[in-house]
Amino acid sequence: MKNKIITNALLKINPQFIEQVLPLAIESKNHILLEEGCENFVLMQKTEDPNTIVIFAIYTSKETYDWHLEQDYVKRFFDFLNGKLIAPPEVTYLEEI
């Protein structure tokens, strides 16, 4: 369905902070999975680079995605990442075919 928002995000974490970031990432994921409009949210680490977190998410609409971005736990997670990334987040928007 064309109105879904599908994202794939790569977060390259400074290795000295990965052990601090992972628990908050998991906590945030647990909240996000309860959101109405979140069809899927998978939190992963690259096998060859465990300091890179990969997030794959599907939201039912732009409205539910925008609402998600405004939640305190999402904002808290991204605020916590300040100074802990070695590169800006890479977000790819995908379309189901």
Side-chain angles (χ1 to χ4, degrees):
M1 195 174 263
K2 297 273 186 195
N3 64 339
K4 289 184 182 181
I5 301 295
I6 305 169
T7 62
N8 189 70
L10 272 64
L11 306 173
K12 296 180 181 185
I13 311 298
N14 182 320
Q16 70 185 34
F17 297 114
I18 192 68
E19 294 303 319
Q20 296 172 25
V21 169
L22 288 178
L24 189 55
I26 293 166
E27 179 185 328
S28 299
K29 175 193 82 163
N30 292 337
H31 287 289
I32 292 165
L33 286 170
L34 298 174
E35 293 177 359
E36 187 174 327
C38 178
E39 289 188 3
N40 198 353
F41 190 94
V42 182
L43 180 66
M44 302 163 275
Q45 286 176 286
K46 282 190 169 185
T47 303
E48 71 279 5
D49 179 11
N51 297 312
T52 297
I53 296 174
V54 180
I55 299 169
F56 177 79
I58 302 175
Y59 299 89
T60 56
S61 67
K62 181 174 182 345
E63 292 77 23
T64 58
Y65 178 66
D66 289 345
W67 181 87
H68 153 78
L69 293 175
E70 293 301 316
Q71 300 314 296
D72 288 341
Y73 44 87
V74 173
K75 289 180 177 182
R76 184 175 67 239
F77 177 67
F78 281 102
D79 286 345
F80 185 75
L81 289 179
N82 282 332
K84 296 176 180 68
L85 297 174
I86 58 173
E90 296 174 32
V91 180
T92 303
Y93 292 90
L94 305 165
E95 190 171 292
E96 189 173 353
I97 53 174

